Amino acid sequence: MRRPILAANWKMHKTAAEALDFAYAFAPRVDGATHADVVVAPPFTALDRIGRVFAGHGIALAAQNVSPEAEGAFTGEVSARMLVDLGCRYAIVGHSERRTLFGETDALVARKAAALLAAGIRPIVCVGETLEQREAGRTFEVLSAQVEGSLAQVPRERAEDLVLAYEPVWAIGTGRTATPAIAQEAHAFLRTRLVARFAGSAERIRIQYGGSVKPENVYDLMAQADIDGALVGGASLDPVAFARIVRFEAEKGASR
Ligand code: 13P
């Protein structure tokens, strides 16, 4: 049985002061939620301030990016060791926005994941096909290549520290969620790729779904056999909505 993991990806939203308001509103709403790992990835600038609030509530802090380099003359970059210092337990790498807007390749994502693992941070590695690729019948081919390339440097003995996030690009920020059946089909396929890469450990790797997750659809997504969590953008900016997503079991029947 894989432990559910519900994560907020705030992208480039909220000042540190706004993030603190969220933390004070959100933390009491998920106190005692022991059924799942709860993760929040604010912008770098808010990590320190909200990390201090979350520490007392069992909410894990995550970064949205990391440098593949350990240290040195890399203006504007943030290293894995700096994230450890602020209490980060997870970091997102390979988000489709970074792949498409900032030109990140599978090879770079692989180096970032390796830098995180070396520092003791769990990488949340994102993969997902575009609408064009799906309509051309290339979904599995694209996912295969992304998994192979992005996880190339994850040693088998560290596989369980990995979280994979399936984020179909056509469902991100569009309000167009993958149906539970479409998402499950992709997750089951990704699981076969993980088995090929990591053998027995693959059954313990969590695969999150991301793309227009809301309180109204989270239960039906989480009910799928290979959907172990959610990576939530827009709806995670609201502490009430994200707390409902964390307590997804209470949302049963919300979409009907
Ligand atoms: P939305 O939930 O806003 O569609 O964003 C999904 C996402 O990209 C999370 O990383």
Side-chain angles (χ1 to χ4, degrees):
M1 186 62 190
R2 294 176 291 268
R3 184 172 165 77
I5 175 167
L6 291 311
N9 173 13
W10 286 357
K11 311 189 179 184
M12 198 170 73
H13 293 285
K14 297 191 192 290
T15 62
E18 290 162 352
L20 195 60
D21 287 343
F22 175 104
Y24 285 132
F26 176 69
R29 292 179 188 274
V30 296
D31 263 346
T34 54
H35 66 292
D37 289 337
V38 184
V39 180
V40 177
F44 287 132
T45 45
L47 283 170
D48 186 46
R49 218 175 294 180
I50 65 171
R52 291 168 196 271
V53 178
F54 288 166
H57 294 271
I59 301 164
L61 200 58
Q64 296 176 19
N65 190 16
V66 68
S67 171
E69 306 291 344
E71 191 172 49
F74 301 103
T75 301
E77 291 289 274
V78 174
S79 74
R81 197 166 73 93
M82 293 169 187
L83 299 178
V84 170
D85 183 46
L86 294 184
C88 284
R89 307 237 313 271
Y90 296 85
I92 300 166
V93 288
H95 192 279
S96 66
E97 287 149 19
R98 297 218 57 88
R99 290 176 186 265
T100 57
L101 303 174
F102 302 96
E104 294 198 2
T105 60
D106 288 328
L108 180 61
V109 176
R111 290 181 60 219
K112 290 183 174 195
L116 290 169
L117 286 170
I121 295 180
R122 295 168 179 226
I124 298 176
V125 178
C126 304
V127 296
E129 81 288 357
T130 62
L131 186 58
E132 197 184 17
Q133 290 163 337
R134 174 163 283 270
E135 288 179 343
R138 294 183 52 219
T139 298
F140 289 174
E141 170 200 331
V142 168
L143 294 179
S144 253
Q146 288 177 334
V147 165
E148 199 170 311
S150 304
L151 306 185
Q153 297 188 39
V154 177
R156 191 182 280 194
E157 67 275 11
R158 298 295 302 280
E160 289 169 48
D161 289 338
L162 179 73
V163 178
L164 192 62
Y166 170 60
E167 297 211 319
V169 178
W170 46 271
I172 296 177
T174 58
R176 184 178 165 187
T177 324
T179 62
I182 288 176
Q184 166 58 24
E185 181 188 40
H187 282 232
F189 174 76
L190 289 169
R191 183 87 55 204
T192 68
R193 298 298 83 213
L194 294 175
V195 170
R197 175 83 180 76
F198 299 111
S201 317
E203 288 302 325
R204 293 188 288 277
I205 299 174
R206 294 174 296 178
I207 310 179
Q208 294 178 306
Y209 167 79
S212 300
V213 175
K214 305 181 277 276
E216 292 73 24
N217 59 27
V218 67
Y219 178 86
D220 288 341
L221 288 162
M222 292 297 291
Q224 303 299 311
D226 289 288
I227 300 185
D228 310 312
L231 183 55
V232 189
S236 77
L237 296 170
D238 173 27
V240 176
F242 188 51
R244 284 177 62 190
I245 288 169
V246 166
R247 296 185 181 280
F248 60 92
E249 281 177 337
E251 298 297 327
K252 186 171 183 176
S255 67
R256 284 172 214 109

